[in-house]
Amino acid sequence: MARPDINRSGEVEVFVRVVEAGSFSAAARMLRMTPSAVSKLIARLEARLGARLVSRSTRKLQLTPEGTAFYDSGLRILADMAAAEREAAAGAAPRGRLRVNTYVPFGVHRLIPLLPRFLERYPEISVDLVLTDSVIDLMAERADVAIRAGPLGESRLVARKLGQSPVVVVAAPSYLEAHGKPLTPADLDGHNRMGFGFVRHIDGWPFVDAAGNAVMVPITGNTLVSDGEAMRLMTLAGAGISRLARWHVAADIAAGRLVALLEDFNPGDEEATHAVYVGQGRHLPARVRAFLDFLGESVRLA
């Protein structure tokens, strides 16, 4: 834990000003400090980080790779601090940059169509959107909100449930014409069962047999994909059979582009979607609270 006498935000600001000014002396004049004080502060910062940030081998100030990375991070930190101060001074009105990380199907089919309305409602908020099905560290990625599907692991993060949907096994008519339609879970042994290239909470597809007993069919095929939308597109192209949330493929099923399979053996399990974030209640930035409330009123996954 940092000592209370270390002013980390002050160190970051001094370092950023040194880089922007191009020298210790110019930064010292800008900050109304002595050049020696600036030099000692940078040296103390480097000692605490255990990394050289500035190369002193030439007259011209040059950043090391570590210094360049720290400078980029410092700019974001100072921008966030300025946004927080503006937000507090304005009575916590929703404003500033909102960093959202969402799993791909939700982003493509639910969130992106809603964002124009959200941005129209809150014109002082800007959205930084990343789509990935990989699990992320909110703190490391500096995300305000992550939207994820499936069970949540143990965490100190806060989660708000946005909805849940049944899961369905599907294939394209072109695939079924070429390979036949499986009528029981056992028939899947002769089919290409596509999977994901990342760890899932269950290793297989669950079914129930005619007697109501649980059956788990392993995922074995020649295709692994990085996200649910890529899986949907591969399925539409006739590459194999997949298991996806029904909300994700409902329009494809209704239009005949995909066929729901083995419905009599579907165990009825559902996949939940949550918005995960740091902090709660009155401690949330107004931009995050506004976004979560907007999702709660706008998202439908049934």
Side-chain angles (χ1 to χ4, degrees), residues 164-168 206-208 243 246 262-271:
Q164 61 187 39
S165 172
V167 185
V168 61
F207 294 96
V208 291
R243 189 173 188 267
R246 185 175 290 273
L262 304 172
E263 289 289 76
D264 289 342
F265 304 92
N266 193 320
D269 57 321
E270 296 191 332
E271 183 178 80

Side-chain angles (χ1 to χ4, degrees), residues 2-302:
R3 301 196 317 270
D5 59 324
I6 295 178
N7 182 355
R8 294 194 173 191
S9 61
E11 288 181 343
V12 170
E13 182 172 7
V14 170
F15 177 73
V16 167
R17 301 306 171 222
V18 166
V19 176
E20 292 177 342
S23 70
F24 288 1
S25 57
R29 289 192 297 272
M30 183 186 305
L31 296 167
R32 297 184 179 180
M33 299 171 64
T34 65
S36 62
V38 171
S39 179
K40 289 178 182 178
L41 187 148
I42 298 301
R44 187 170 67 242
L45 174 61
E46 290 176 325
R48 181 164 60 81
L49 296 176
R52 178 63 63 88
L53 302 178
V54 180
S55 174
R56 297 171 176 82
S57 60
T58 64
R59 289 188 177 183
K60 183 179 179 181
L61 184 146
Q62 291 183 330
L63 293 179
T64 65
E66 293 79 9
T68 299
F70 192 78
Y71 172 70
D72 292 338
S73 297
L75 285 177
R76 292 195 297 270
I77 291 170
L78 294 178
D80 286 346
M81 290 174 58
E85 290 176 354
R86 289 195 302 268
E87 193 172 276
R95 64 179 65 206
R97 177 178 293 183
L98 177 73
R99 298 179 176 89
V100 180
N101 189 294
T102 176
Y103 70 104
V104 180
F106 185 90
V108 170
H109 295 279
R110 289 294 185 270
L111 184 56
I112 288 176
L114 292 172
L115 280 179
R117 182 154 57 91
F118 174 77
L119 292 171
E120 183 178 3
R121 182 183 299 183
Y122 300 103
E124 295 188 74
I125 293 178
S126 62
V127 172
D128 184 344
L129 178 64
V130 174
L131 274 63
T132 175
D133 278 20
S134 299
V135 177
I136 67 158
D137 182 332
L138 262 70
M139 300 301 291
E141 298 293 330
R142 299 188 60 76
D144 293 305
V145 179
I147 302 173
R148 287 294 177 267
L152 297 176
E154 291 296 325
S155 171
R156 290 181 293 176
L157 301 174
V158 184
R160 179 181 295 190
K161 189 174 182 180
L162 300 179
Q164 61 187 39
S165 172
V167 185
V168 61
V169 175
V170 290
S174 60
Y175 175 87
L176 298 176
E177 289 172 7
H179 302 278
K181 183 177 182 180
L183 301 179
T184 70
D187 293 340
L188 289 172
D189 284 345
H191 289 273
N192 189 34
R193 305 187 293 280
M194 298 187 294
F196 292 97
F198 53 87
V199 177
R200 302 279 286 177
H201 63 279
I202 56 172
D203 187 19
W205 292 352
F207 294 96
V208 291
D209 61 19
N213 300 312
V215 176
M216 185 67 72
V217 174
I219 303 170
T220 57
N222 61 12
T223 304
L224 294 176
V225 298
S226 63
D227 61 78
E229 182 62 8
M231 180 68 78
R232 169 181 168 268
L233 294 174
M234 288 292 291
T235 310
L236 286 168
I241 299 176
S242 64
R243 189 173 188 267
L244 297 166
R246 185 175 290 273
W247 73 262
H248 187 190
V249 292
D252 297 316
I253 295 173
R257 294 186 293 266
L258 292 176
V259 177
L261 304 173
L262 304 172
E263 289 289 76
D264 289 342
F265 304 92
N266 193 320
D269 57 321
E270 296 191 332
E271 183 178 80
T273 293
H274 293 86
V276 185
Y277 53 97
V278 179
Q280 57 185 335
R282 59 188 177 86
H283 300 296
L284 278 178
R287 67 183 186 280
V288 176
R289 186 167 55 249
F291 182 65
L292 292 171
D293 290 345
F294 177 82
L295 290 178
E297 74 181 47
S298 304
V299 171
R300 299 292 179 269
L301 294 180

